[in-house]
Amino acid sequence: MTQSPSKNRVGVVGLGMSVPTKVLTNFDLEKMVETSDEWILERTGIRERRIAEPGTTTSELAYPAAVEALKQAGLKASDVDLIIVGTTSPDMVFPSTACVLQHRLGSTSAACFDLSAACSGSVFAMITAEQYLATGRYKNALVIGAEIISNFVDWTDRSTCVLFGDGAGACVMTKVDRGGILTTDMGSDGSAGELLYIPAGGTKHPASHTSIDQRLHYLRMNGTEVFKLAVRQMADSAKNVLTAAGLSVADVDCFIPHQANLRIIQAVAKRAGVPMDKVFVNADRYGNTSAASNLIALYEAVQQGTIKQGNRVVLVAFGAGLTWGSILLEW
Ligand code: UT7
């Protein structure tokens, strides 16, 4: 459903990101599974991804991103009254990673929860925060997309292990006088849930010797079907936020798609009629960081000067669920 422009504009006033230092290249992967740098580059455009050291938690990876976003926003941790973490790789089943992060930051007056929308995590979390901020229920939200998805990747499955990487992106959102979020769009299709999923670890298949023997705790994907649906839903969602604002692709300066892989991004751009020189891509360096991907890309696009004050930006996401969503904002 698409939401139209609001009088109570909410914007992004600080950004942060954090990725592990360890780089896993396509050449490293050649030593782990039967694949090649050539195949991975041609099919995905990914050259390398970051992988967290064993024992690192998602909240630990998110922490420096959160601190940087707060610094950019000129806020103290105690000023934050809402923390939402989009993640599919939380520290624990519960408590939420948002609560763990709150404790470490010292944001004692914040309400905290995790949001499960897989790779659409940052965009869904930003749209959720926008609602609370626009109504005045909360003042300063810290929104994070963070994943240590490498724990859930089957490193013996060449069809998926080449695609993913770890990372965290963060933003601080609050009401703004100029710019901010113009329109948003979110959608879901639960009927296609088993195209991309982790079968075990929940109530359907609680951890057992059998679930471990059958490798049910690892991510599974029907890549071909996911590809087709990702392209259709992301292109349509991007068009929805533009239509709701009475704008066209020509009015947008920068598109920040979910960094699933270069081929999907190119196909989305083609279907939506967006020239690739308006599309920000960093999947070559990080792979698919799931919920972290849109916020990491937004961070880098701003850092590199690709997005400047007054620019119109469209964030577009797609993930397991299925879930998809877009945000049109003025920087
Ligand atoms: O957030 C959304 C997350 N999902 C995605 O980003 C994935 C969406 N899907 C895709 O991007 C593509 O489907 C993939 C990149 C995953 C695969 O590309 P494809 O062109 O659809 O390849 P395919 O699955 O049709 O496989 C073609 C061949 C197969 O061999 P045969 O059956 O033709 O002999 C695969 O076994 O490539 C083989 N293959 C590989 N070969 C070398 C699959 N993975 C690899 C690999 N290295 N890593």
Side-chain angles (χ1 to χ4, degrees), residues 43 226-227 230-231 234 258 260-269:
R43 307 281 174 136
V226 170
F227 189 103
V231 171
M234 279 200 277
H258 165 46
N261 69 57
L262 183 61
R263 256 173 73 221
I264 293 186
I265 292 170
Q266 286 169 334
V268 171

Side-chain angles (χ1 to χ4, degrees), residues 33-36 39-40 43-44 119 158-160 162-164 196 221-224 226-227 230 258 260-261 263-264 288 318-320:
V33 286
E34 202 182 325
T35 190
S36 65
W39 191 97
I40 301 170
R43 307 281 174 136
T44 73
C119 301
R158 70 175 182 173
S159 69
T160 54
V162 302
L163 301 171
F164 295 93
L196 176 51
M221 178 170 64
N222 177 334
T224 313
V226 170
F227 189 103
H258 165 46
N261 69 57
R263 256 173 73 221
I264 293 186
N288 180 347
F318 176 87

Side-chain angles (χ1 to χ4, degrees), residues 15-325:
L15 284 163
M17 73 167 273
S18 154
V19 289
T21 49
K22 183 178 165 188
V23 175
L24 185 74
T25 67
N26 293 349
F27 299 104
D28 296 326
L29 282 164
E30 285 181 357
K31 296 176 201 131
M32 296 162 65
V33 286
E34 202 182 325
T35 190
S36 65
D37 173 56
E38 194 188 355
W39 191 97
I40 301 170
L41 258 185
E42 188 192 312
R43 307 281 174 136
T44 73
I46 300 167
R47 291 178 188 276
E48 57 187 44
R49 64 291 288 147
R50 301 299 182 95
I51 303 294
E53 292 300 333
T56 312
T57 63
T58 301
S59 63
E60 282 167 356
L61 189 61
Y63 178 77
V67 169
E68 188 179 4
L70 284 169
K71 194 174 169 209
Q72 277 196 15
L75 293 180
K76 297 191 292 292
S78 55
D79 297 325
V80 172
D81 50 8
L82 176 67
I83 300 177
I84 309 177
V85 177
T87 187
T88 42
S89 47
D91 288 17
M92 295 169 270
V93 173
F94 65 83
S96 70
T97 302
C99 282
V100 178
L101 192 63
Q102 175 210 32
H103 179 56
R104 179 142 184 223
L105 287 166
S107 302
T108 43
S109 54
C112 308
F113 59 91
D114 287 358
L115 189 149
S116 172
C119 301
S120 305
S122 328
V123 166
F124 271 44
M126 288 172 76
I127 293 172
T128 304
E130 186 220 1
Q131 301 303 303
Y132 285 113
L133 297 166
T135 58
R137 179 67 182 82
Y138 295 108
K139 200 160 167 271
N140 299 310
L142 177 60
V143 175
I144 316 260
E147 303 276 15
I148 303 196
I149 197 83
S150 57
N151 285 309
F152 300 93
V153 167
D154 184 346
W155 293 101
T156 66
D157 174 10
R158 70 175 182 173
S159 69
T160 54
C161 75
V162 302
L163 301 171
F164 295 93
D166 300 330
C171 72
V172 173
M173 295 172 65
T174 191
K175 274 194 191 166
V176 289
D177 297 330
R178 47 153 290 275
I181 293 178
L182 305 179
T183 53
T184 62
D185 178 64
M186 288 200 290
S188 306
D189 177 8
S191 72
E194 294 198 358
L195 291 180
L196 176 51
Y197 71 130
I198 297 174
T203 51
K204 190 168 181 179
H205 297 292
S208 67
H209 288 289
T210 314
S211 70
I212 290 168
D213 291 344
Q214 294 179 353
R215 306 182 77 74
L216 298 181
H217 295 271
Y218 293 121
L219 178 158
R220 293 179 177 193
M221 178 170 64
N222 177 334
T224 313
E225 285 308 308
V226 170
F227 189 103
K228 283 189 263 180
L229 290 165
V231 171
R232 188 194 312 154
Q233 299 298 4
M234 279 200 277
D236 290 356
S237 182
K239 286 191 217 160
N240 285 346
V241 287
L242 290 175
T243 306
L247 298 173
S248 74
V249 164
D251 300 310
V252 177
D253 302 285
C254 184
F255 285 81
I256 308 273
H258 165 46
Q259 303 290 311
N261 69 57
L262 183 61
R263 256 173 73 221
I264 293 186
I265 292 170
Q266 286 169 334
V268 171
K270 192 171 172 204
R271 189 178 162 110
V274 180
M276 273 307 284
D277 60 4
K278 282 190 180 183
V279 181
F280 189 81
V281 178
N282 63 7
D284 51 325
R285 287 178 291 121
Y286 303 121
N288 180 347
T289 58
S290 186
S293 127
N294 286 95
L295 273 172
I296 290 178
L298 180 63
Y299 174 94
E300 289 203 331
V302 173
Q303 276 306 102
Q304 292 170 16
T306 307
I307 295 175
K308 298 173 197 69
Q309 191 174 326
N311 280 178
R312 288 203 191 97
V313 179
V314 173
L315 298 168
V316 196
F318 176 87
L322 304 175
T323 55
W324 57 86

